[in-house]
Amino acid sequence: MTGRATKPIRVLIADDQIVMREGLKRVLESPDDILVIGEASVAQEVLGKVQDLQPDVVLLDLLWFSDESAGVAVLEQLKRATPQSKVVAITAYDDLIEKARRAGAEAALPKGFTVEELISVIRSVHRSPGFPAAAAETGRLDDILSEREMDVLALLVEGLSDREIGERLFLAESTIKKHVSNIRDKLGATNRTHAVSIALQKGFLQK
Amino acid sequence: MDKATRVLIADDHLAERQGIAKILGSAEGIEVAGQVGQIDLILDEIRRIRPDVVLMDLKWNEDEEAGIKATAQIKQLLPGIRVVAISVYDHLIPEALKAGADAALTKGFSREELLQAIWAE
C-alpha cells in the first residue's frame, strides 16, 4: 500500500427542488470518495452554508423558483466570497450553462447527465489545480497572467478594442480575442469590463 | 390492509427519477414499481409493470410535447391508470390536464404534495 487514505470530496447540494436534492444525494451515495455534507434549498442560504461548511464542490442549480438569474447571482457571490469551493452548475437550459461558465463555474452540466458524468465532473473539478478566481482574490496580477496577457490587459485598461490592441501588438485580432478570454477566465471576470475593474482593484496601474 | 399503490416514474433525468424514488421509498403504501428514462419505452414498461400510477415528466430532451402526447396515449389505451404530470413549466400543465392527466405538479413540489397527487381522487 502506498500513501495515506485520501479524504473524501465534500459536496454541498444547492437546489430548490427536493426531487433534485434527493436524487443527487442518492446518486452520490455509491462512490466512496464523495461525501454530501449539506444542502441548501433556497438561494439566499447557499452562500452562508458554503461559508460554514466549506465544501470542496458545490452542485449549484441555476434556476431557482423559475428565476433564471438567481443561480448565476449566487454563483457570482460564491466566486467572490468563497473561491476555494469549486462550483458545478446544473441546469436544463443550455443558455444558462454558457452564463454559468462566464460567471466562473468550474464546470456545467445539463440535467440529462448520467451517474458516471456527474461523478467524473465532481472528481475532475476537485482535482483541477490552480483555481483562477482564488488566485485572482489573493495573488498578484503578474503571477496570474502571462507576460503577453499583461500587455493585452494594459491596453484593455486604456479602453482599446481587440482590433486596436492587435494593431499595437502586431497580433491578429483573433489572437487578442483569445488572450482577452483567457484574462477574463483567469481573473474570474464575467466580461472585459469586469476584467478591467478587477485589474484596477488590484492596483494594476501602480504596478 | 390494502395493496401498495404501484408507481412508475417516467422522466428523462436520472437525478429526478432517483429523487422521486427516494422520496417515495419512505412513503407507506407506495411501491416504486419501476423507472423509465426513455419516452418510447413508457408504454412497454406500463404493460410490463402494470402500475397504478404513472408520474409523467412533461418535457423530454427538449421536446415539450412528448410527455403530453404520452399522457394522451396512456389515457386512451389504459384509462384505468392514473397519470400525474410533473413539469418545471407552468404553461405545460393545462395542456397535460387537457390530455387527460389526473393531477399535475410543478417541480418545486413538496413530499406531501407529491403523495397527495398520487393518492388524490
Side-chain angles (χ1 to χ4, degrees), chain A residues 17-20 22-27 29 63 92-93 111-115, chain B residues 13-16 18-23 35 59 62 88-89 107-111:
Chain A
Q17 294 172 24
I18 182 176
V19 164
M20 281 299 292
E22 292 298 324
L24 289 167
K25 274 197 285 186
R26 190 171 213 188
V27 170
E29 272 166 13
L63 184 73
Y93 306 89
K111 263 192 188 159
F113 59 81
T114 62
V115 182
Chain B
H13 295 143
L14 163 91
E16 289 173 0
Q18 294 285 4
I20 293 171
K22 187 158 180 186
I23 293 167
Q35 299 184 23
K59 186 174 161 189
E62 305 298 312
V88 212
Y89 308 90
K107 267 189 187 156
F109 57 81
S110 65
R111 181 173 184 274

PDB file of all heavy atoms in Angstrom, chain A residues 17-20 22-27 29 63 92-93 111-115, chain B residues 13-16 18-23 35 59 62 88-89 107-111:
ATOM      1  N   GLN A  17     -35.353  22.251  -5.638  1.00  0.00           N
ATOM      2  CA  GLN A  17     -36.292  21.131  -5.759  1.00  0.00           C
ATOM      3  C   GLN A  17     -35.862  19.942  -4.917  1.00  0.00           C
ATOM      4  O   GLN A  17     -34.767  19.427  -5.061  1.00  0.00           O
ATOM      5  CB  GLN A  17     -36.393  20.699  -7.215  1.00  0.00           C
ATOM      6  CG  GLN A  17     -37.016  21.765  -8.091  1.00  0.00           C
ATOM      7  CD  GLN A  17     -36.931  21.379  -9.554  1.00  0.00           C
ATOM      8  OE1 GLN A  17     -36.837  20.213  -9.887  1.00  0.00           O
ATOM      9  NE2 GLN A  17     -36.946  22.375 -10.414  1.00  0.00           N
ATOM     10  N   ILE A  18     -36.770  19.517  -4.074  1.00  0.00           N
ATOM     11  CA  ILE A  18     -36.479  18.375  -3.208  1.00  0.00           C
ATOM     12  C   ILE A  18     -36.136  17.152  -4.052  1.00  0.00           C
ATOM     13  O   ILE A  18     -35.248  16.364  -3.712  1.00  0.00           O
ATOM     14  CB  ILE A  18     -37.667  18.083  -2.253  1.00  0.00           C
ATOM     15  CG1 ILE A  18     -37.320  16.916  -1.328  1.00  0.00           C
ATOM     16  CG2 ILE A  18     -38.943  17.804  -2.986  1.00  0.00           C
ATOM     17  CD1 ILE A  18     -38.376  16.623  -0.292  1.00  0.00           C
ATOM     18  N   VAL A  19     -36.810  17.039  -5.202  1.00  0.00           N
ATOM     19  CA  VAL A  19     -36.567  15.892  -6.071  1.00  0.00           C
ATOM     20  C   VAL A  19     -35.109  15.849  -6.523  1.00  0.00           C
ATOM     21  O   VAL A  19     -34.451  14.809  -6.487  1.00  0.00           O
ATOM     22  CB  VAL A  19     -37.489  15.959  -7.308  1.00  0.00           C
ATOM     23  CG1 VAL A  19     -37.007  15.042  -8.395  1.00  0.00           C
ATOM     24  CG2 VAL A  19     -38.894  15.614  -6.908  1.00  0.00           C
ATOM     25  N   MET A  20     -34.596  16.999  -6.924  1.00  0.00           N
ATOM     26  CA  MET A  20     -33.208  17.027  -7.377  1.00  0.00           C
ATOM     27  C   MET A  20     -32.251  16.799  -6.205  1.00  0.00           C
ATOM     28  O   MET A  20     -31.270  16.084  -6.338  1.00  0.00           O
ATOM     29  CB  MET A  20     -32.893  18.369  -8.056  1.00  0.00           C
ATOM     30  CG  MET A  20     -33.389  18.472  -9.478  1.00  0.00           C
ATOM     31  SD  MET A  20     -32.663  17.218 -10.593  1.00  0.00           S
ATOM     32  CE  MET A  20     -30.945  17.764 -10.666  1.00  0.00           C
ATOM     33  N   GLU A  22     -32.744  15.143  -3.406  1.00  0.00           N
ATOM     34  CA  GLU A  22     -32.780  13.736  -3.000  1.00  0.00           C
ATOM     35  C   GLU A  22     -32.129  12.852  -4.063  1.00  0.00           C
ATOM     36  O   GLU A  22     -31.434  11.890  -3.755  1.00  0.00           O
ATOM     37  CB  GLU A  22     -34.225  13.289  -2.760  1.00  0.00           C
ATOM     38  CG  GLU A  22     -34.871  13.954  -1.550  1.00  0.00           C
ATOM     39  CD  GLU A  22     -34.142  13.624  -0.253  1.00  0.00           C
ATOM     40  OE1 GLU A  22     -33.646  12.499  -0.104  1.00  0.00           O
ATOM     41  OE2 GLU A  22     -34.044  14.507   0.621  1.00  0.00           O
ATOM     42  N   GLY A  23     -32.383  13.203  -5.333  1.00  0.00           N
ATOM     43  CA  GLY A  23     -31.821  12.406  -6.419  1.00  0.00           C
ATOM     44  C   GLY A  23     -30.309  12.489  -6.447  1.00  0.00           C
ATOM     45  O   GLY A  23     -29.621  11.481  -6.583  1.00  0.00           O
ATOM     46  N   LEU A  24     -29.793  13.705  -6.295  1.00  0.00           N
ATOM     47  CA  LEU A  24     -28.336  13.875  -6.302  1.00  0.00           C
ATOM     48  C   LEU A  24     -27.715  13.139  -5.116  1.00  0.00           C
ATOM     49  O   LEU A  24     -26.699  12.470  -5.237  1.00  0.00           O
ATOM     50  CB  LEU A  24     -27.976  15.370  -6.256  1.00  0.00           C
ATOM     51  CG  LEU A  24     -28.288  16.149  -7.547  1.00  0.00           C
ATOM     52  CD1 LEU A  24     -28.197  17.650  -7.314  1.00  0.00           C
ATOM     53  CD2 LEU A  24     -27.336  15.738  -8.667  1.00  0.00           C
ATOM     54  N   LYS A  25     -28.370  13.256  -3.961  1.00  0.00           N
ATOM     55  CA  LYS A  25     -27.835  12.569  -2.778  1.00  0.00           C
ATOM     56  C   LYS A  25     -27.778  11.062  -3.021  1.00  0.00           C
ATOM     57  O   LYS A  25     -26.801  10.405  -2.710  1.00  0.00           O
ATOM     58  CB  LYS A  25     -28.723  12.840  -1.551  1.00  0.00           C
ATOM     59  CG  LYS A  25     -28.350  14.124  -0.829  1.00  0.00           C
ATOM     60  CD  LYS A  25     -28.934  14.166   0.560  1.00  0.00           C
ATOM     61  CE  LYS A  25     -30.416  14.466   0.519  1.00  0.00           C
ATOM     62  NZ  LYS A  25     -31.030  14.666   1.827  1.00  0.00           N
ATOM     63  N   ARG A  26     -28.858  10.559  -3.600  1.00  0.00           N
ATOM     64  CA  ARG A  26     -28.925   9.121  -3.813  1.00  0.00           C
ATOM     65  C   ARG A  26     -27.832   8.667  -4.787  1.00  0.00           C
ATOM     66  O   ARG A  26     -27.157   7.672  -4.575  1.00  0.00           O
ATOM     67  CB  ARG A  26     -30.291   8.757  -4.361  1.00  0.00           C
ATOM     68  CG  ARG A  26     -30.511   7.284  -4.381  1.00  0.00           C
ATOM     69  CD  ARG A  26     -31.937   6.960  -4.713  1.00  0.00           C
ATOM     70  NE  ARG A  26     -32.314   5.750  -4.006  1.00  0.00           N
ATOM     71  CZ  ARG A  26     -33.452   5.117  -4.194  1.00  0.00           C
ATOM     72  NH1 ARG A  26     -34.337   5.571  -5.035  1.00  0.00           N
ATOM     73  NH2 ARG A  26     -33.717   4.025  -3.533  1.00  0.00           N
ATOM     74  N   VAL A  27     -27.694   9.440  -5.875  1.00  0.00           N
ATOM     75  CA  VAL A  27     -26.691   9.082  -6.874  1.00  0.00           C
ATOM     76  C   VAL A  27     -25.286   9.132  -6.267  1.00  0.00           C
ATOM     77  O   VAL A  27     -24.417   8.328  -6.588  1.00  0.00           O
ATOM     78  CB  VAL A  27     -26.792  10.040  -8.084  1.00  0.00           C
ATOM     79  CG1 VAL A  27     -25.624   9.857  -9.019  1.00  0.00           C
ATOM     80  CG2 VAL A  27     -28.107   9.823  -8.818  1.00  0.00           C
ATOM     81  N   GLU A  29     -24.449   8.536  -3.216  1.00  0.00           N
ATOM     82  CA  GLU A  29     -24.216   7.612  -2.103  1.00  0.00           C
ATOM     83  C   GLU A  29     -23.190   6.554  -2.451  1.00  0.00           C
ATOM     84  O   GLU A  29     -22.439   6.095  -1.603  1.00  0.00           O
ATOM     85  CB  GLU A  29     -25.523   6.891  -1.730  1.00  0.00           C
ATOM     86  CG  GLU A  29     -26.366   7.620  -0.720  1.00  0.00           C
ATOM     87  CD  GLU A  29     -27.775   7.030  -0.649  1.00  0.00           C
ATOM     88  OE1 GLU A  29     -28.004   5.925  -1.182  1.00  0.00           O
ATOM     89  OE2 GLU A  29     -28.643   7.699  -0.055  1.00  0.00           O
ATOM     90  N   LEU A  63     -31.611  27.461 -11.907  1.00  0.00           N
ATOM     91  CA  LEU A  63     -32.960  28.003 -11.945  1.00  0.00           C
ATOM     92  C   LEU A  63     -33.611  27.813 -10.576  1.00  0.00           C
ATOM     93  O   LEU A  63     -33.812  26.692 -10.128  1.00  0.00           O
ATOM     94  CB  LEU A  63     -33.762  27.258 -13.017  1.00  0.00           C
ATOM     95  CG  LEU A  63     -35.171  27.744 -13.277  1.00  0.00           C
ATOM     96  CD1 LEU A  63     -35.145  29.063 -14.022  1.00  0.00           C
ATOM     97  CD2 LEU A  63     -35.940  26.714 -14.089  1.00  0.00           C
ATOM     98  N   ALA A  92     -31.201  22.734 -16.856  1.00  0.00           N
ATOM     99  CA  ALA A  92     -31.825  22.139 -18.031  1.00  0.00           C
ATOM    100  C   ALA A  92     -31.654  23.052 -19.243  1.00  0.00           C
ATOM    101  O   ALA A  92     -31.942  22.660 -20.362  1.00  0.00           O
ATOM    102  CB  ALA A  92     -33.306  21.914 -17.755  1.00  0.00           C
ATOM    103  N   TYR A  93     -31.181  24.267 -19.032  1.00  0.00           N
ATOM    104  CA  TYR A  93     -31.171  25.250 -20.108  1.00  0.00           C
ATOM    105  C   TYR A  93     -29.771  25.518 -20.616  1.00  0.00           C
ATOM    106  O   TYR A  93     -28.912  25.974 -19.868  1.00  0.00           O
ATOM    107  CB  TYR A  93     -31.758  26.569 -19.615  1.00  0.00           C
ATOM    108  CG  TYR A  93     -33.101  26.383 -19.011  1.00  0.00           C
ATOM    109  CD1 TYR A  93     -33.219  26.097 -17.662  1.00  0.00           C
ATOM    110  CD2 TYR A  93     -34.244  26.442 -19.795  1.00  0.00           C
ATOM    111  CE1 TYR A  93     -34.454  25.883 -17.092  1.00  0.00           C
ATOM    112  CE2 TYR A  93     -35.474  26.233 -19.238  1.00  0.00           C
ATOM    113  CZ  TYR A  93     -35.572  25.957 -17.884  1.00  0.00           C
ATOM    114  OH  TYR A  93     -36.786  25.744 -17.336  1.00  0.00           O
ATOM    115  N   LYS A 111     -29.022  18.872 -17.391  1.00  0.00           N
ATOM    116  CA  LYS A 111     -29.683  17.951 -16.461  1.00  0.00           C
ATOM    117  C   LYS A 111     -29.759  16.512 -16.936  1.00  0.00           C
ATOM    118  O   LYS A 111     -30.031  15.615 -16.156  1.00  0.00           O
ATOM    119  CB  LYS A 111     -31.085  18.468 -16.116  1.00  0.00           C
ATOM    120  CG  LYS A 111     -31.076  19.228 -14.822  1.00  0.00           C
ATOM    121  CD  LYS A 111     -32.448  19.518 -14.281  1.00  0.00           C
ATOM    122  CE  LYS A 111     -32.319  20.453 -13.082  1.00  0.00           C
ATOM    123  NZ  LYS A 111     -33.547  21.175 -12.793  1.00  0.00           N
ATOM    124  N   GLY A 112     -29.527  16.300 -18.206  1.00  0.00           N
ATOM    125  CA  GLY A 112     -29.605  14.924 -18.702  1.00  0.00           C
ATOM    126  C   GLY A 112     -28.382  14.077 -18.368  1.00  0.00           C
ATOM    127  O   GLY A 112     -28.189  13.042 -18.962  1.00  0.00           O
ATOM    128  N   PHE A 113     -27.597  14.507 -17.381  1.00  0.00           N
ATOM    129  CA  PHE A 113     -26.364  13.779 -17.083  1.00  0.00           C
ATOM    130  C   PHE A 113     -26.604  12.352 -16.602  1.00  0.00           C
ATOM    131  O   PHE A 113     -27.650  12.035 -16.048  1.00  0.00           O
ATOM    132  CB  PHE A 113     -25.534  14.538 -16.037  1.00  0.00           C
ATOM    133  CG  PHE A 113     -26.268  14.767 -14.740  1.00  0.00           C
ATOM    134  CD1 PHE A 113     -26.356  13.761 -13.787  1.00  0.00           C
ATOM    135  CD2 PHE A 113     -26.860  15.990 -14.467  1.00  0.00           C
ATOM    136  CE1 PHE A 113     -27.021  13.977 -12.591  1.00  0.00           C
ATOM    137  CE2 PHE A 113     -27.530  16.212 -13.278  1.00  0.00           C
ATOM    138  CZ  PHE A 113     -27.619  15.201 -12.342  1.00  0.00           C
ATOM    139  N   THR A 114     -25.590  11.507 -16.804  1.00  0.00           N
ATOM    140  CA  THR A 114     -25.616  10.150 -16.254  1.00  0.00           C
ATOM    141  C   THR A 114     -24.873  10.154 -14.916  1.00  0.00           C
ATOM    142  O   THR A 114     -24.180  11.118 -14.587  1.00  0.00           O
ATOM    143  CB  THR A 114     -24.878   9.167 -17.178  1.00  0.00           C
ATOM    144  OG1 THR A 114     -23.500   9.568 -17.259  1.00  0.00           O
ATOM    145  CG2 THR A 114     -25.470   9.172 -18.582  1.00  0.00           C
ATOM    146  N   VAL A 115     -25.019   9.080 -14.166  1.00  0.00           N
ATOM    147  CA  VAL A 115     -24.305   8.951 -12.887  1.00  0.00           C
ATOM    148  C   VAL A 115     -22.809   9.129 -13.107  1.00  0.00           C
ATOM    149  O   VAL A 115     -22.130   9.849 -12.374  1.00  0.00           O
ATOM    150  CB  VAL A 115     -24.514   7.542 -12.284  1.00  0.00           C
ATOM    151  CG1 VAL A 115     -23.808   7.450 -10.937  1.00  0.00           C
ATOM    152  CG2 VAL A 115     -25.976   7.248 -12.117  1.00  0.00           C
TER     153      VAL A 115
ATOM    154  N   HIS B  13     -34.556  12.575 -16.795  1.00  0.00           N
ATOM    155  CA  HIS B  13     -33.412  12.942 -15.959  1.00  0.00           C
ATOM    156  C   HIS B  13     -33.212  11.955 -14.822  1.00  0.00           C
ATOM    157  O   HIS B  13     -34.069  11.796 -13.968  1.00  0.00           O
ATOM    158  CB  HIS B  13     -33.590  14.359 -15.394  1.00  0.00           C
ATOM    159  CG  HIS B  13     -33.595  15.405 -16.450  1.00  0.00           C
ATOM    160  ND1 HIS B  13     -34.400  16.503 -16.394  1.00  0.00           N
ATOM    161  CD2 HIS B  13     -32.898  15.493 -17.600  1.00  0.00           C
ATOM    162  CE1 HIS B  13     -34.192  17.246 -17.476  1.00  0.00           C
ATOM    163  NE2 HIS B  13     -33.291  16.646 -18.220  1.00  0.00           N
ATOM    164  N   LEU B  14     -32.058  11.362 -14.837  1.00  0.00           N
ATOM    165  CA  LEU B  14     -31.721  10.359 -13.834  1.00  0.00           C
ATOM    166  C   LEU B  14     -31.870  10.883 -12.408  1.00  0.00           C
ATOM    167  O   LEU B  14     -32.457  10.243 -11.551  1.00  0.00           O
ATOM    168  CB  LEU B  14     -30.271   9.920 -14.065  1.00  0.00           C
ATOM    169  CG  LEU B  14     -29.641   9.200 -12.908  1.00  0.00           C
ATOM    170  CD1 LEU B  14     -29.865   7.726 -13.075  1.00  0.00           C
ATOM    171  CD2 LEU B  14     -28.174   9.527 -12.814  1.00  0.00           C
ATOM    172  N   ALA B  15     -31.327  12.098 -12.176  1.00  0.00           N
ATOM    173  CA  ALA B  15     -31.331  12.605 -10.798  1.00  0.00           C
ATOM    174  C   ALA B  15     -32.769  12.798 -10.327  1.00  0.00           C
ATOM    175  O   ALA B  15     -33.090  12.570  -9.161  1.00  0.00           O
ATOM    176  CB  ALA B  15     -30.557  13.909 -10.704  1.00  0.00           C
ATOM    177  N   GLU B  16     -33.644  13.214 -11.245  1.00  0.00           N
ATOM    178  CA  GLU B  16     -35.039  13.407 -10.853  1.00  0.00           C
ATOM    179  C   GLU B  16     -35.726  12.071 -10.578  1.00  0.00           C
ATOM    180  O   GLU B  16     -36.486  11.941  -9.622  1.00  0.00           O
ATOM    181  CB  GLU B  16     -35.774  14.214 -11.923  1.00  0.00           C
ATOM    182  CG  GLU B  16     -35.305  15.658 -11.914  1.00  0.00           C
ATOM    183  CD  GLU B  16     -35.852  16.495 -13.052  1.00  0.00           C
ATOM    184  OE1 GLU B  16     -36.615  15.970 -13.886  1.00  0.00           O
ATOM    185  OE2 GLU B  16     -35.519  17.678 -13.105  1.00  0.00           O
ATOM    186  N   GLN B  18     -34.289   9.392  -9.551  1.00  0.00           N
ATOM    187  CA  GLN B  18     -33.752   8.902  -8.275  1.00  0.00           C
ATOM    188  C   GLN B  18     -34.326   9.675  -7.100  1.00  0.00           C
ATOM    189  O   GLN B  18     -34.580   9.125  -6.038  1.00  0.00           O
ATOM    190  CB  GLN B  18     -32.226   9.027  -8.271  1.00  0.00           C
ATOM    191  CG  GLN B  18     -31.534   8.140  -9.278  1.00  0.00           C
ATOM    192  CD  GLN B  18     -31.519   6.683  -8.836  1.00  0.00           C
ATOM    193  OE1 GLN B  18     -32.081   6.326  -7.820  1.00  0.00           O
ATOM    194  NE2 GLN B  18     -30.878   5.845  -9.618  1.00  0.00           N
ATOM    195  N   GLY B  19     -34.504  10.978  -7.312  1.00  0.00           N
ATOM    196  CA  GLY B  19     -35.047  11.813  -6.241  1.00  0.00           C
ATOM    197  C   GLY B  19     -36.471  11.419  -5.903  1.00  0.00           C
ATOM    198  O   GLY B  19     -36.837  11.269  -4.737  1.00  0.00           O
ATOM    199  N   ILE B  20     -37.273  11.241  -6.945  1.00  0.00           N
ATOM    200  CA  ILE B  20     -38.660  10.839  -6.708  1.00  0.00           C
ATOM    201  C   ILE B  20     -38.685   9.465  -6.047  1.00  0.00           C
ATOM    202  O   ILE B  20     -39.429   9.224  -5.090  1.00  0.00           O
ATOM    203  CB  ILE B  20     -39.460  10.842  -8.038  1.00  0.00           C
ATOM    204  CG1 ILE B  20     -39.593  12.284  -8.546  1.00  0.00           C
ATOM    205  CG2 ILE B  20     -40.831  10.225  -7.835  1.00  0.00           C
ATOM    206  CD1 ILE B  20     -40.173  12.396  -9.947  1.00  0.00           C
ATOM    207  N   ALA B  21     -37.842   8.567  -6.552  1.00  0.00           N
ATOM    208  CA  ALA B  21     -37.798   7.215  -5.980  1.00  0.00           C
ATOM    209  C   ALA B  21     -37.423   7.275  -4.498  1.00  0.00           C
ATOM    210  O   ALA B  21     -37.996   6.565  -3.671  1.00  0.00           O
ATOM    211  CB  ALA B  21     -36.798   6.350  -6.743  1.00  0.00           C
ATOM    212  N   LYS B  22     -36.482   8.148  -4.173  1.00  0.00           N
ATOM    213  CA  LYS B  22     -36.045   8.234  -2.780  1.00  0.00           C
ATOM    214  C   LYS B  22     -37.163   8.798  -1.899  1.00  0.00           C
ATOM    215  O   LYS B  22     -37.408   8.313  -0.806  1.00  0.00           O
ATOM    216  CB  LYS B  22     -34.792   9.098  -2.682  1.00  0.00           C
ATOM    217  CG  LYS B  22     -34.189   9.107  -1.311  1.00  0.00           C
ATOM    218  CD  LYS B  22     -32.740   9.500  -1.316  1.00  0.00           C
ATOM    219  CE  LYS B  22     -32.197   9.501   0.107  1.00  0.00           C
ATOM    220  NZ  LYS B  22     -30.835  10.018   0.165  1.00  0.00           N
ATOM    221  N   ILE B  23     -37.828   9.829  -2.422  1.00  0.00           N
ATOM    222  CA  ILE B  23     -38.911  10.435  -1.643  1.00  0.00           C
ATOM    223  C   ILE B  23     -40.031   9.414  -1.414  1.00  0.00           C
ATOM    224  O   ILE B  23     -40.590   9.300  -0.330  1.00  0.00           O
ATOM    225  CB  ILE B  23     -39.477  11.670  -2.378  1.00  0.00           C
ATOM    226  CG1 ILE B  23     -38.417  12.772  -2.416  1.00  0.00           C
ATOM    227  CG2 ILE B  23     -40.746  12.172  -1.696  1.00  0.00           C
ATOM    228  CD1 ILE B  23     -38.759  13.888  -3.368  1.00  0.00           C
ATOM    229  N   GLN B  35     -38.840   2.505 -13.140  1.00  0.00           N
ATOM    230  CA  GLN B  35     -38.434   3.828 -13.620  1.00  0.00           C
ATOM    231  C   GLN B  35     -38.157   3.694 -15.101  1.00  0.00           C
ATOM    232  O   GLN B  35     -37.587   2.703 -15.532  1.00  0.00           O
ATOM    233  CB  GLN B  35     -37.145   4.281 -12.935  1.00  0.00           C
ATOM    234  CG  GLN B  35     -37.243   4.425 -11.441  1.00  0.00           C
ATOM    235  CD  GLN B  35     -35.945   4.982 -10.857  1.00  0.00           C
ATOM    236  OE1 GLN B  35     -35.163   5.625 -11.536  1.00  0.00           O
ATOM    237  NE2 GLN B  35     -35.722   4.722  -9.573  1.00  0.00           N
ATOM    238  N   LYS B  59     -41.496  17.344 -20.169  1.00  0.00           N
ATOM    239  CA  LYS B  59     -40.523  17.710 -21.200  1.00  0.00           C
ATOM    240  C   LYS B  59     -39.434  16.642 -21.293  1.00  0.00           C
ATOM    241  O   LYS B  59     -38.803  16.314 -20.305  1.00  0.00           O
ATOM    242  CB  LYS B  59     -39.890  19.061 -20.841  1.00  0.00           C
ATOM    243  CG  LYS B  59     -38.975  19.594 -21.916  1.00  0.00           C
ATOM    244  CD  LYS B  59     -38.500  20.982 -21.559  1.00  0.00           C
ATOM    245  CE  LYS B  59     -37.250  21.324 -22.352  1.00  0.00           C
ATOM    246  NZ  LYS B  59     -36.624  22.540 -21.915  1.00  0.00           N
ATOM    247  N   GLU B  62     -35.731  18.268 -24.469  1.00  0.00           N
ATOM    248  CA  GLU B  62     -36.092  19.490 -25.213  1.00  0.00           C
ATOM    249  C   GLU B  62     -37.448  19.412 -25.904  1.00  0.00           C
ATOM    250  O   GLU B  62     -37.888  20.382 -26.507  1.00  0.00           O
ATOM    251  CB  GLU B  62     -35.028  19.859 -26.268  1.00  0.00           C
ATOM    252  CG  GLU B  62     -33.617  20.003 -25.719  1.00  0.00           C
ATOM    253  CD  GLU B  62     -33.516  21.117 -24.689  1.00  0.00           C
ATOM    254  OE1 GLU B  62     -34.006  22.227 -24.957  1.00  0.00           O
ATOM    255  OE2 GLU B  62     -32.967  20.852 -23.601  1.00  0.00           O
ATOM    256  N   VAL B  88     -41.498  21.489 -14.793  1.00  0.00           N
ATOM    257  CA  VAL B  88     -40.960  22.757 -14.305  1.00  0.00           C
ATOM    258  C   VAL B  88     -41.744  23.900 -14.931  1.00  0.00           C
ATOM    259  O   VAL B  88     -41.673  25.027 -14.477  1.00  0.00           O
ATOM    260  CB  VAL B  88     -39.502  22.991 -14.773  1.00  0.00           C
ATOM    261  CG1 VAL B  88     -38.723  23.774 -13.740  1.00  0.00           C
ATOM    262  CG2 VAL B  88     -38.804  21.722 -15.169  1.00  0.00           C
ATOM    263  N   TYR B  89     -42.429  23.593 -16.009  1.00  0.00           N
ATOM    264  CA  TYR B  89     -43.020  24.657 -16.811  1.00  0.00           C
ATOM    265  C   TYR B  89     -44.510  24.770 -16.554  1.00  0.00           C
ATOM    266  O   TYR B  89     -45.272  23.874 -16.894  1.00  0.00           O
ATOM    267  CB  TYR B  89     -42.794  24.380 -18.293  1.00  0.00           C
ATOM    268  CG  TYR B  89     -41.355  24.119 -18.579  1.00  0.00           C
ATOM    269  CD1 TYR B  89     -40.848  22.826 -18.526  1.00  0.00           C
ATOM    270  CD2 TYR B  89     -40.495  25.169 -18.851  1.00  0.00           C
ATOM    271  CE1 TYR B  89     -39.508  22.583 -18.757  1.00  0.00           C
ATOM    272  CE2 TYR B  89     -39.154  24.942 -19.079  1.00  0.00           C
ATOM    273  CZ  TYR B  89     -38.667  23.639 -19.034  1.00  0.00           C
ATOM    274  OH  TYR B  89     -37.343  23.414 -19.251  1.00  0.00           O
ATOM    275  N   LYS B 107     -42.465  21.472 -10.529  1.00  0.00           N
ATOM    276  CA  LYS B 107     -41.376  20.727  -9.912  1.00  0.00           C
ATOM    277  C   LYS B 107     -40.931  21.205  -8.542  1.00  0.00           C
ATOM    278  O   LYS B 107     -40.189  20.515  -7.865  1.00  0.00           O
ATOM    279  CB  LYS B 107     -40.192  20.613 -10.860  1.00  0.00           C
ATOM    280  CG  LYS B 107     -40.305  19.322 -11.646  1.00  0.00           C
ATOM    281  CD  LYS B 107     -39.089  18.998 -12.459  1.00  0.00           C
ATOM    282  CE  LYS B 107     -39.387  17.784 -13.340  1.00  0.00           C
ATOM    283  NZ  LYS B 107     -38.541  17.715 -14.523  1.00  0.00           N
ATOM    284  N   GLY B 108     -41.351  22.350  -8.126  1.00  0.00           N
ATOM    285  CA  GLY B 108     -40.977  22.748  -6.774  1.00  0.00           C
ATOM    286  C   GLY B 108     -41.797  22.051  -5.697  1.00  0.00           C
ATOM    287  O   GLY B 108     -41.781  22.440  -4.546  1.00  0.00           O
ATOM    288  N   PHE B 109     -42.469  20.965  -6.050  1.00  0.00           N
ATOM    289  CA  PHE B 109     -43.406  20.348  -5.106  1.00  0.00           C
ATOM    290  C   PHE B 109     -42.711  19.788  -3.867  1.00  0.00           C
ATOM    291  O   PHE B 109     -41.538  19.439  -3.876  1.00  0.00           O
ATOM    292  CB  PHE B 109     -44.201  19.237  -5.788  1.00  0.00           C
ATOM    293  CG  PHE B 109     -43.353  18.149  -6.407  1.00  0.00           C
ATOM    294  CD1 PHE B 109     -42.820  17.131  -5.636  1.00  0.00           C
ATOM    295  CD2 PHE B 109     -43.116  18.135  -7.773  1.00  0.00           C
ATOM    296  CE1 PHE B 109     -42.047  16.127  -6.207  1.00  0.00           C
ATOM    297  CE2 PHE B 109     -42.345  17.137  -8.351  1.00  0.00           C
ATOM    298  CZ  PHE B 109     -41.804  16.135  -7.563  1.00  0.00           C
ATOM    299  N   SER B 110     -43.493  19.681  -2.800  1.00  0.00           N
ATOM    300  CA  SER B 110     -43.002  19.089  -1.558  1.00  0.00           C
ATOM    301  C   SER B 110     -43.346  17.597  -1.571  1.00  0.00           C
ATOM    302  O   SER B 110     -44.108  17.130  -2.421  1.00  0.00           O
ATOM    303  CB  SER B 110     -43.671  19.755  -0.361  1.00  0.00           C
ATOM    304  OG  SER B 110     -45.063  19.470  -0.393  1.00  0.00           O
ATOM    305  N   ARG B 111     -42.809  16.897  -0.611  1.00  0.00           N
ATOM    306  CA  ARG B 111     -43.104  15.475  -0.476  1.00  0.00           C
ATOM    307  C   ARG B 111     -44.619  15.263  -0.312  1.00  0.00           C
ATOM    308  O   ARG B 111     -45.204  14.376  -0.927  1.00  0.00           O
ATOM    309  CB  ARG B 111     -42.355  14.960   0.752  1.00  0.00           C
ATOM    310  CG  ARG B 111     -42.519  13.505   1.024  1.00  0.00           C
ATOM    311  CD  ARG B 111     -41.586  13.076   2.171  1.00  0.00           C
ATOM    312  NE  ARG B 111     -41.658  11.652   2.382  1.00  0.00           N
ATOM    313  CZ  ARG B 111     -42.577  11.073   3.159  1.00  0.00           C
ATOM    314  NH1 ARG B 111     -43.481  11.808   3.776  1.00  0.00           N
ATOM    315  NH2 ARG B 111     -42.600   9.768   3.300  1.00  0.00           N
TER     316      ARG B 111
END
